Amino acid sequence: MEPAAPPPSPPPAAAAAAAAAPGSAGLVCAQGRNLRAVLCQRCGSRVLLPGAATFARRELLLPAMRKKAAAAAAGGGGDVLREHWLVRDMFSFENVGFTRDVGNVKFLVCADCEAGPIGWHCLDDKDSFYVALERVAHE
């Protein structure tokens, strides 16, 4: 009887993508792009098509996703999120809305149901739009 062969090792690019994105297993391809469509958690509206964004790690503070009255009662607050889809062209979005300026930042929301914020955009950098993985669904 012959010993079982070891399982094949993943391609180096796939291994690098998996190492860079432990919380995003099954969502990032070998090139670091989104494998699945990105959807609004609340209404299921499609925000991004597969392959439209790149995985990025960056610490960003996003206001909490609560109703205005609940957020005011809790003193505002927010969440520091570290894993995002980075979109370089705003025309890559299928469905996204932007809040009014808050300092030099606009927050991204679902254009259909206005759930959010799901992401962040600094007005100083016209080519970087971040969508938090924790704030969206994937299909």
mmCIF file of all heavy atoms in Angstrom, residues 36-85:
data_model
loop_
_atom_site.group_PDB
_atom_site.id
_atom_site.type_symbol
_atom_site.label_atom_id
_atom_site.label_comp_id
_atom_site.label_asym_id
_atom_site.label_seq_id
_atom_site.Cartn_x
_atom_site.Cartn_y
_atom_site.Cartn_z
ATOM 1 N N ARG A 36 -17.008 37.559 -5.154
ATOM 2 C CA ARG A 36 -18.468 37.544 -5.163
ATOM 3 C C ARG A 36 -19.021 38.963 -5.249
ATOM 4 O O ARG A 36 -18.333 39.930 -4.949
ATOM 5 C CB ARG A 36 -18.966 36.892 -3.881
ATOM 6 C CG ARG A 36 -18.458 35.468 -3.744
ATOM 7 C CD ARG A 36 -18.361 35.079 -2.310
ATOM 8 N NE ARG A 36 -19.243 33.980 -1.987
ATOM 9 C CZ ARG A 36 -19.678 33.735 -0.775
ATOM 10 N NH1 ARG A 36 -19.353 34.504 0.225
ATOM 11 N NH2 ARG A 36 -20.447 32.696 -0.545
ATOM 12 N N ALA A 37 -20.288 39.037 -5.623
ATOM 13 C CA ALA A 37 -20.959 40.341 -5.653
ATOM 14 C C ALA A 37 -21.102 40.856 -4.226
ATOM 15 O O ALA A 37 -21.253 40.087 -3.273
ATOM 16 C CB ALA A 37 -22.330 40.213 -6.302
ATOM 17 N N VAL A 38 -21.051 42.161 -4.070
ATOM 18 C CA VAL A 38 -21.209 42.819 -2.776
ATOM 19 C C VAL A 38 -22.620 43.395 -2.730
ATOM 20 O O VAL A 38 -23.029 44.110 -3.643
ATOM 21 C CB VAL A 38 -20.148 43.927 -2.594
ATOM 22 C CG1 VAL A 38 -20.339 44.672 -1.294
ATOM 23 C CG2 VAL A 38 -18.741 43.333 -2.683
ATOM 24 N N LEU A 39 -23.359 43.063 -1.648
ATOM 25 C CA LEU A 39 -24.764 43.447 -1.517
ATOM 26 C C LEU A 39 -25.021 44.232 -0.245
ATOM 27 O O LEU A 39 -24.293 44.089 0.745
ATOM 28 C CB LEU A 39 -25.650 42.194 -1.472
ATOM 29 C CG LEU A 39 -25.436 41.126 -2.529
ATOM 30 C CD1 LEU A 39 -26.301 39.918 -2.218
ATOM 31 C CD2 LEU A 39 -25.769 41.675 -3.892
ATOM 32 N N CYS A 40 -26.097 45.001 -0.252
ATOM 33 C CA CYS A 40 -26.574 45.672 0.954
ATOM 34 C C CYS A 40 -27.097 44.595 1.909
ATOM 35 O O CYS A 40 -27.848 43.709 1.500
ATOM 36 C CB CYS A 40 -27.689 46.647 0.601
ATOM 37 S SG CYS A 40 -28.496 47.387 2.050
ATOM 38 N N GLN A 41 -26.721 44.688 3.181
ATOM 39 C CA GLN A 41 -27.190 43.718 4.179
ATOM 40 C C GLN A 41 -28.688 43.825 4.412
ATOM 41 O O GLN A 41 -29.343 42.845 4.699
ATOM 42 C CB GLN A 41 -26.481 43.927 5.516
ATOM 43 C CG GLN A 41 -25.067 43.455 5.553
ATOM 44 C CD GLN A 41 -24.423 43.684 6.901
ATOM 45 O OE1 GLN A 41 -24.911 44.449 7.738
ATOM 46 N NE2 GLN A 41 -23.297 43.026 7.128
ATOM 47 N N ARG A 42 -29.224 45.028 4.316
ATOM 48 C CA ARG A 42 -30.637 45.228 4.639
ATOM 49 C C ARG A 42 -31.568 44.841 3.498
ATOM 50 O O ARG A 42 -32.491 44.065 3.670
ATOM 51 C CB ARG A 42 -30.909 46.678 5.025
ATOM 52 C CG ARG A 42 -32.384 46.875 5.413
ATOM 53 C CD ARG A 42 -32.799 48.319 5.552
ATOM 54 N NE ARG A 42 -32.163 48.945 6.689
ATOM 55 C CZ ARG A 42 -32.174 50.246 6.886
ATOM 56 N NH1 ARG A 42 -32.754 51.048 6.015
ATOM 57 N NH2 ARG A 42 -31.589 50.767 7.940
ATOM 58 N N CYS A 43 -31.324 45.367 2.296
ATOM 59 C CA CYS A 43 -32.289 45.157 1.205
ATOM 60 C C CYS A 43 -31.802 44.215 0.108
ATOM 61 O O CYS A 43 -32.564 43.849 -0.773
ATOM 62 C CB CYS A 43 -32.701 46.497 0.599
ATOM 63 S SG CYS A 43 -31.427 47.290 -0.406
ATOM 64 N N GLY A 44 -30.526 43.842 0.141
ATOM 65 C CA GLY A 44 -29.994 42.927 -0.857
ATOM 66 C C GLY A 44 -29.641 43.572 -2.188
ATOM 67 O O GLY A 44 -29.303 42.891 -3.144
ATOM 68 N N SER A 45 -29.696 44.883 -2.260
ATOM 69 C CA SER A 45 -29.354 45.584 -3.495
ATOM 70 C C SER A 45 -27.865 45.384 -3.798
ATOM 71 O O SER A 45 -27.029 45.394 -2.903
ATOM 72 C CB SER A 45 -29.664 47.071 -3.335
ATOM 73 O OG SER A 45 -29.388 47.759 -4.516
ATOM 74 N N ARG A 46 -27.532 45.211 -5.074
ATOM 75 C CA ARG A 46 -26.153 44.955 -5.492
ATOM 76 C C ARG A 46 -25.362 46.266 -5.471
ATOM 77 O O ARG A 46 -25.698 47.225 -6.149
ATOM 78 C CB ARG A 46 -26.148 44.354 -6.883
ATOM 79 C CG ARG A 46 -24.814 43.830 -7.327
ATOM 80 C CD ARG A 46 -24.926 43.107 -8.645
ATOM 81 N NE ARG A 46 -25.907 42.035 -8.542
ATOM 82 C CZ ARG A 46 -25.602 40.741 -8.581
ATOM 83 N NH1 ARG A 46 -24.369 40.378 -8.768
ATOM 84 N NH2 ARG A 46 -26.536 39.835 -8.479
ATOM 85 N N VAL A 47 -24.256 46.264 -4.707
ATOM 86 C CA VAL A 47 -23.390 47.432 -4.579
ATOM 87 C C VAL A 47 -22.218 47.342 -5.561
ATOM 88 O O VAL A 47 -21.866 48.331 -6.192
ATOM 89 C CB VAL A 47 -22.880 47.574 -3.128
ATOM 90 C CG1 VAL A 47 -21.905 48.723 -2.993
ATOM 91 C CG2 VAL A 47 -24.056 47.749 -2.167
ATOM 92 N N LEU A 48 -21.620 46.133 -5.666
ATOM 93 C CA LEU A 48 -20.480 45.927 -6.555
ATOM 94 C C LEU A 48 -20.587 44.574 -7.241
ATOM 95 O O LEU A 48 -21.029 43.593 -6.626
ATOM 96 C CB LEU A 48 -19.165 45.941 -5.760
ATOM 97 C CG LEU A 48 -18.670 47.272 -5.213
ATOM 98 C CD1 LEU A 48 -17.572 47.047 -4.186
ATOM 99 C CD2 LEU A 48 -18.171 48.159 -6.329
ATOM 100 N N LEU A 49 -20.163 44.499 -8.486
ATOM 101 C CA LEU A 49 -20.075 43.234 -9.208
ATOM 102 C C LEU A 49 -18.791 42.507 -8.807
ATOM 103 O O LEU A 49 -17.831 43.134 -8.346
ATOM 104 C CB LEU A 49 -20.067 43.491 -10.710
ATOM 105 C CG LEU A 49 -21.347 44.046 -11.319
ATOM 106 C CD1 LEU A 49 -21.130 44.393 -12.790
ATOM 107 C CD2 LEU A 49 -22.491 43.062 -11.160
ATOM 108 N N PRO A 50 -18.721 41.190 -9.012
ATOM 109 C CA PRO A 50 -17.477 40.465 -8.746
ATOM 110 C C PRO A 50 -16.317 41.060 -9.553
ATOM 111 O O PRO A 50 -16.482 41.447 -10.713
ATOM 112 C CB PRO A 50 -17.787 39.040 -9.211
ATOM 113 C CG PRO A 50 -19.275 38.922 -9.096
ATOM 114 C CD PRO A 50 -19.807 40.289 -9.437
ATOM 115 N N GLY A 51 -15.159 41.176 -8.905
ATOM 116 C CA GLY A 51 -13.967 41.697 -9.568
ATOM 117 C C GLY A 51 -13.860 43.206 -9.630
ATOM 118 O O GLY A 51 -12.895 43.732 -10.162
ATOM 119 N N ALA A 52 -14.803 43.925 -9.059
ATOM 120 C CA ALA A 52 -14.809 45.392 -9.160
ATOM 121 C C ALA A 52 -13.979 46.089 -8.094
ATOM 122 O O ALA A 52 -13.735 47.287 -8.197
ATOM 123 C CB ALA A 52 -16.247 45.908 -9.092
ATOM 124 N N ALA A 53 -13.531 45.347 -7.066
ATOM 125 C CA ALA A 53 -12.806 45.978 -5.958
ATOM 126 C C ALA A 53 -11.631 45.105 -5.540
ATOM 127 O O ALA A 53 -11.572 43.916 -5.850
ATOM 128 C CB ALA A 53 -13.749 46.188 -4.781
ATOM 129 N N THR A 54 -10.712 45.718 -4.815
ATOM 130 C CA THR A 54 -9.523 45.040 -4.315
ATOM 131 C C THR A 54 -9.581 45.015 -2.790
ATOM 132 O O THR A 54 -9.970 46.005 -2.173
ATOM 133 C CB THR A 54 -8.253 45.799 -4.753
ATOM 134 O OG1 THR A 54 -8.273 45.940 -6.170
ATOM 135 C CG2 THR A 54 -6.999 45.071 -4.348
ATOM 136 N N PHE A 55 -9.169 43.891 -2.194
ATOM 137 C CA PHE A 55 -9.131 43.808 -0.739
ATOM 138 C C PHE A 55 -8.061 44.740 -0.193
ATOM 139 O O PHE A 55 -6.952 44.818 -0.734
ATOM 140 C CB PHE A 55 -8.833 42.369 -0.291
ATOM 141 C CG PHE A 55 -8.755 42.229 1.197
ATOM 142 C CD1 PHE A 55 -9.903 42.137 1.951
ATOM 143 C CD2 PHE A 55 -7.534 42.227 1.841
ATOM 144 C CE1 PHE A 55 -9.843 42.030 3.330
ATOM 145 C CE2 PHE A 55 -7.452 42.114 3.211
ATOM 146 C CZ PHE A 55 -8.613 42.021 3.963
ATOM 147 N N ALA A 56 -8.401 45.475 0.880
ATOM 148 C CA ALA A 56 -7.447 46.393 1.504
ATOM 149 C C ALA A 56 -7.632 46.372 3.012
ATOM 150 O O ALA A 56 -8.755 46.241 3.504
ATOM 151 C CB ALA A 56 -7.656 47.810 0.981
ATOM 152 N N ARG A 57 -6.531 46.511 3.719
ATOM 153 C CA ARG A 57 -6.565 46.647 5.179
ATOM 154 C C ARG A 57 -6.236 48.092 5.521
ATOM 155 O O ARG A 57 -5.190 48.603 5.123
ATOM 156 C CB ARG A 57 -5.546 45.738 5.846
ATOM 157 C CG ARG A 57 -5.946 44.306 5.878
ATOM 158 C CD ARG A 57 -4.961 43.539 6.753
ATOM 159 N NE ARG A 57 -5.409 42.196 6.921
ATOM 160 C CZ ARG A 57 -6.259 41.798 7.858
ATOM 161 N NH1 ARG A 57 -6.742 42.660 8.718
ATOM 162 N NH2 ARG A 57 -6.629 40.542 7.935
ATOM 163 N N ARG A 58 -7.145 48.723 6.236
ATOM 164 C CA ARG A 58 -6.932 50.099 6.690
ATOM 165 C C ARG A 58 -7.883 50.346 7.836
ATOM 166 O O ARG A 58 -9.057 49.983 7.750
ATOM 167 C CB ARG A 58 -7.215 51.083 5.550
ATOM 168 C CG ARG A 58 -6.966 52.511 5.957
ATOM 169 C CD ARG A 58 -7.049 53.450 4.800
ATOM 170 N NE ARG A 58 -6.825 54.796 5.271
ATOM 171 C CZ ARG A 58 -6.883 55.864 4.528
ATOM 172 N NH1 ARG A 58 -7.147 55.760 3.242
ATOM 173 N NH2 ARG A 58 -6.682 57.055 5.025
ATOM 174 N N GLU A 59 -7.413 50.948 8.909
ATOM 175 C CA GLU A 59 -8.277 51.246 10.046
ATOM 176 C C GLU A 59 -9.070 52.516 9.753
ATOM 177 O O GLU A 59 -8.487 53.579 9.552
ATOM 178 C CB GLU A 59 -7.465 51.422 11.324
ATOM 179 C CG GLU A 59 -6.990 50.133 11.890
ATOM 180 C CD GLU A 59 -6.450 50.263 13.307
ATOM 181 O OE1 GLU A 59 -6.538 51.358 13.907
ATOM 182 O OE2 GLU A 59 -5.932 49.259 13.809
ATOM 183 N N LEU A 60 -10.390 52.362 9.715
ATOM 184 C CA LEU A 60 -11.272 53.502 9.469
ATOM 185 C C LEU A 60 -12.377 53.499 10.510
ATOM 186 O O LEU A 60 -12.922 52.453 10.847
ATOM 187 C CB LEU A 60 -11.894 53.404 8.073
ATOM 188 C CG LEU A 60 -10.930 53.461 6.893
ATOM 189 C CD1 LEU A 60 -11.666 53.190 5.595
ATOM 190 C CD2 LEU A 60 -10.235 54.811 6.834
ATOM 191 N N LEU A 61 -12.719 54.669 10.992
ATOM 192 C CA LEU A 61 -13.819 54.816 11.945
ATOM 193 C C LEU A 61 -15.082 55.167 11.167
ATOM 194 O O LEU A 61 -15.135 56.188 10.487
ATOM 195 C CB LEU A 61 -13.510 55.913 12.963
ATOM 196 C CG LEU A 61 -14.628 56.228 13.947
ATOM 197 C CD1 LEU A 61 -14.893 55.026 14.860
ATOM 198 C CD2 LEU A 61 -14.296 57.455 14.767
ATOM 199 N N LEU A 62 -16.085 54.290 11.267
ATOM 200 C CA LEU A 62 -17.374 54.547 10.628
ATOM 201 C C LEU A 62 -18.427 54.703 11.705
ATOM 202 O O LEU A 62 -18.432 53.936 12.684
ATOM 203 C CB LEU A 62 -17.772 53.390 9.709
ATOM 204 C CG LEU A 62 -16.934 53.194 8.460
ATOM 205 C CD1 LEU A 62 -17.416 51.970 7.695
ATOM 206 C CD2 LEU A 62 -17.000 54.401 7.569
ATOM 207 N N PRO A 63 -19.328 55.668 11.571
ATOM 208 C CA PRO A 63 -20.419 55.790 12.534
ATOM 209 C C PRO A 63 -21.217 54.484 12.605
ATOM 210 O O PRO A 63 -21.274 53.724 11.638
ATOM 211 C CB PRO A 63 -21.283 56.917 11.957
ATOM 212 C CG PRO A 63 -20.360 57.687 11.076
ATOM 213 C CD PRO A 63 -19.396 56.678 10.518
ATOM 214 N N ALA A 64 -21.821 54.248 13.750
ATOM 215 C CA ALA A 64 -22.601 53.026 13.949
ATOM 216 C C ALA A 64 -23.776 52.977 12.981
ATOM 217 O O ALA A 64 -24.329 54.014 12.603
ATOM 218 C CB ALA A 64 -23.097 52.964 15.387
ATOM 219 N N MET A 65 -24.166 51.770 12.609
ATOM 220 C CA MET A 65 -25.315 51.573 11.720
ATOM 221 C C MET A 65 -26.565 51.426 12.575
ATOM 222 O O MET A 65 -27.040 50.324 12.802
ATOM 223 C CB MET A 65 -25.135 50.327 10.850
ATOM 224 C CG MET A 65 -24.138 50.491 9.750
ATOM 225 S SD MET A 65 -24.002 49.039 8.692
ATOM 226 C CE MET A 65 -25.532 49.093 7.797
ATOM 227 N N ARG A 66 -27.088 52.533 13.075
ATOM 228 C CA ARG A 66 -28.295 52.533 13.899
ATOM 229 C C ARG A 66 -29.205 53.644 13.433
ATOM 230 O O ARG A 66 -28.789 54.559 12.741
ATOM 231 C CB ARG A 66 -27.960 52.806 15.361
ATOM 232 C CG ARG A 66 -27.080 51.792 15.987
ATOM 233 C CD ARG A 66 -26.943 52.116 17.455
ATOM 234 N NE ARG A 66 -25.594 51.781 17.867
ATOM 235 C CZ ARG A 66 -24.932 52.361 18.826
ATOM 236 N NH1 ARG A 66 -25.464 53.337 19.510
ATOM 237 N NH2 ARG A 66 -23.714 51.988 19.127
ATOM 238 N N LYS A 67 -30.433 53.559 13.879
ATOM 239 C CA LYS A 67 -31.359 54.643 13.582
ATOM 240 C C LYS A 67 -30.867 55.897 14.283
ATOM 241 O O LYS A 67 -30.218 55.837 15.320
ATOM 242 C CB LYS A 67 -32.763 54.293 14.062
ATOM 243 C CG LYS A 67 -33.372 53.180 13.254
ATOM 244 C CD LYS A 67 -34.792 52.952 13.650
ATOM 245 C CE LYS A 67 -35.377 51.859 12.779
ATOM 246 N NZ LYS A 67 -36.759 51.592 13.110
ATOM 247 N N LYS A 68 -31.190 57.053 13.744
ATOM 248 C CA LYS A 68 -30.689 58.318 14.278
ATOM 249 C C LYS A 68 -31.005 58.497 15.758
ATOM 250 O O LYS A 68 -30.166 58.906 16.527
ATOM 251 C CB LYS A 68 -31.243 59.489 13.469
ATOM 252 C CG LYS A 68 -30.683 59.563 12.072
ATOM 253 C CD LYS A 68 -31.266 60.723 11.311
ATOM 254 C CE LYS A 68 -30.763 60.730 9.879
ATOM 255 N NZ LYS A 68 -31.380 61.782 9.093
ATOM 256 N N ALA A 69 -32.237 58.186 16.197
ATOM 257 C CA ALA A 69 -32.626 58.370 17.600
ATOM 258 C C ALA A 69 -31.804 57.466 18.511
ATOM 259 O O ALA A 69 -31.347 57.878 19.575
ATOM 260 C CB ALA A 69 -34.113 58.087 17.777
ATOM 261 N N ALA A 70 -31.582 56.224 18.096
ATOM 262 C CA ALA A 70 -30.806 55.284 18.900
ATOM 263 C C ALA A 70 -29.350 55.732 18.988
ATOM 264 O O ALA A 70 -28.723 55.625 20.034
ATOM 265 C CB ALA A 70 -30.903 53.882 18.321
ATOM 266 N N ALA A 71 -28.800 56.218 17.897
ATOM 267 C CA ALA A 71 -27.408 56.671 17.883
ATOM 268 C C ALA A 71 -27.235 57.893 18.776
ATOM 269 O O ALA A 71 -26.247 58.012 19.490
ATOM 270 C CB ALA A 71 -26.964 56.974 16.464
ATOM 271 N N ALA A 72 -28.185 58.820 18.740
ATOM 272 C CA ALA A 72 -28.108 60.014 19.576
ATOM 273 C C ALA A 72 -28.190 59.650 21.050
ATOM 274 O O ALA A 72 -27.475 60.196 21.882
ATOM 275 C CB ALA A 72 -29.218 60.991 19.204
ATOM 276 N N ALA A 73 -29.061 58.706 21.391
ATOM 277 C CA ALA A 73 -29.213 58.279 22.781
ATOM 278 C C ALA A 73 -27.951 57.582 23.280
ATOM 279 O O ALA A 73 -27.596 57.682 24.447
ATOM 280 C CB ALA A 73 -30.408 57.341 22.918
ATOM 281 N N ALA A 74 -27.252 56.884 22.402
ATOM 282 C CA ALA A 74 -26.032 56.172 22.782
ATOM 283 C C ALA A 74 -24.805 57.079 22.709
ATOM 284 O O ALA A 74 -23.697 56.637 22.948
ATOM 285 C CB ALA A 74 -25.840 54.967 21.873
ATOM 286 N N GLY A 75 -24.981 58.323 22.355
ATOM 287 C CA GLY A 75 -23.866 59.258 22.294
ATOM 288 C C GLY A 75 -23.070 59.183 21.008
ATOM 289 O O GLY A 75 -21.888 59.464 20.992
ATOM 290 N N GLY A 76 -23.707 58.766 19.938
ATOM 291 C CA GLY A 76 -23.018 58.698 18.650
ATOM 292 C C GLY A 76 -22.225 57.425 18.540
ATOM 293 O O GLY A 76 -22.764 56.359 18.354
ATOM 294 N N GLY A 77 -20.923 57.525 18.707
ATOM 295 C CA GLY A 77 -20.078 56.340 18.644
ATOM 296 C C GLY A 77 -19.854 55.870 17.231
ATOM 297 O O GLY A 77 -20.291 56.477 16.269
ATOM 298 N N GLY A 78 -19.163 54.773 17.143
ATOM 299 C CA GLY A 78 -18.870 54.199 15.846
ATOM 300 C C GLY A 78 -18.049 52.949 16.004
ATOM 301 O O GLY A 78 -17.839 52.463 17.110
ATOM 302 N N ASP A 79 -17.598 52.423 14.888
ATOM 303 C CA ASP A 79 -16.821 51.191 14.872
ATOM 304 C C ASP A 79 -15.533 51.417 14.090
ATOM 305 O O ASP A 79 -15.552 52.045 13.037
ATOM 306 C CB ASP A 79 -17.604 50.070 14.177
ATOM 307 C CG ASP A 79 -18.954 49.814 14.830
ATOM 308 O OD1 ASP A 79 -18.983 49.674 16.062
ATOM 309 O OD2 ASP A 79 -19.962 49.757 14.100
ATOM 310 N N VAL A 80 -14.433 50.894 14.611
ATOM 311 C CA VAL A 80 -13.177 50.891 13.864
ATOM 312 C C VAL A 80 -13.166 49.607 13.055
ATOM 313 O O VAL A 80 -13.210 48.513 13.610
ATOM 314 C CB VAL A 80 -11.957 50.959 14.801
ATOM 315 C CG1 VAL A 80 -10.669 50.833 13.991
ATOM 316 C CG2 VAL A 80 -11.966 52.252 15.582
ATOM 317 N N LEU A 81 -13.152 49.736 11.747
ATOM 318 C CA LEU A 81 -13.184 48.588 10.842
ATOM 319 C C LEU A 81 -11.868 48.514 10.080
ATOM 320 O O LEU A 81 -11.305 49.545 9.707
ATOM 321 C CB LEU A 81 -14.369 48.717 9.890
ATOM 322 C CG LEU A 81 -15.716 48.824 10.612
ATOM 323 C CD1 LEU A 81 -16.828 49.157 9.643
ATOM 324 C CD2 LEU A 81 -16.031 47.543 11.351
ATOM 325 N N ARG A 82 -11.395 47.286 9.865
ATOM 326 C CA ARG A 82 -10.066 47.112 9.294
ATOM 327 C C ARG A 82 -10.036 46.457 7.918
ATOM 328 O O ARG A 82 -9.052 46.566 7.219
ATOM 329 C CB ARG A 82 -9.221 46.291 10.261
ATOM 330 C CG ARG A 82 -8.911 47.049 11.536
ATOM 331 C CD ARG A 82 -8.224 46.184 12.574
ATOM 332 N NE ARG A 82 -7.927 46.949 13.774
ATOM 333 C CZ ARG A 82 -8.809 47.189 14.729
ATOM 334 N NH1 ARG A 82 -10.029 46.738 14.641
ATOM 335 N NH2 ARG A 82 -8.468 47.912 15.784
ATOM 336 N N GLU A 83 -11.072 45.739 7.530
ATOM 337 C CA GLU A 83 -11.071 45.039 6.247
ATOM 338 C C GLU A 83 -12.091 45.675 5.316
ATOM 339 O O GLU A 83 -13.258 45.817 5.686
ATOM 340 C CB GLU A 83 -11.361 43.554 6.446
ATOM 341 C CG GLU A 83 -10.266 42.852 7.217
ATOM 342 C CD GLU A 83 -10.495 41.365 7.332
ATOM 343 O OE1 GLU A 83 -11.650 40.907 7.182
ATOM 344 O OE2 GLU A 83 -9.516 40.644 7.566
ATOM 345 N N HIS A 84 -11.630 46.038 4.128
ATOM 346 C CA HIS A 84 -12.465 46.794 3.198
ATOM 347 C C HIS A 84 -12.268 46.313 1.764
ATOM 348 O O HIS A 84 -11.252 45.717 1.424
ATOM 349 C CB HIS A 84 -12.097 48.288 3.242
ATOM 350 C CG HIS A 84 -12.095 48.866 4.604
ATOM 351 N ND1 HIS A 84 -13.228 49.351 5.216
ATOM 352 C CD2 HIS A 84 -11.098 49.024 5.505
ATOM 353 C CE1 HIS A 84 -12.923 49.792 6.411
ATOM 354 N NE2 HIS A 84 -11.630 49.603 6.613
ATOM 355 N N TRP A 85 -13.249 46.641 0.947
ATOM 356 C CA TRP A 85 -13.093 46.564 -0.503
ATOM 357 C C TRP A 85 -12.686 47.950 -0.949
ATOM 358 O O TRP A 85 -13.365 48.928 -0.646
ATOM 359 C CB TRP A 85 -14.390 46.149 -1.182
ATOM 360 C CG TRP A 85 -14.799 44.751 -0.881
ATOM 361 C CD1 TRP A 85 -15.949 44.338 -0.287
ATOM 362 C CD2 TRP A 85 -14.064 43.561 -1.174
ATOM 363 N NE1 TRP A 85 -15.973 42.978 -0.184
ATOM 364 C CE2 TRP A 85 -14.821 42.473 -0.723
ATOM 365 C CE3 TRP A 85 -12.824 43.308 -1.774
ATOM 366 C CZ2 TRP A 85 -14.387 41.160 -0.847
ATOM 367 C CZ3 TRP A 85 -12.398 42.002 -1.896
ATOM 368 C CH2 TRP A 85 -13.173 40.939 -1.443
#
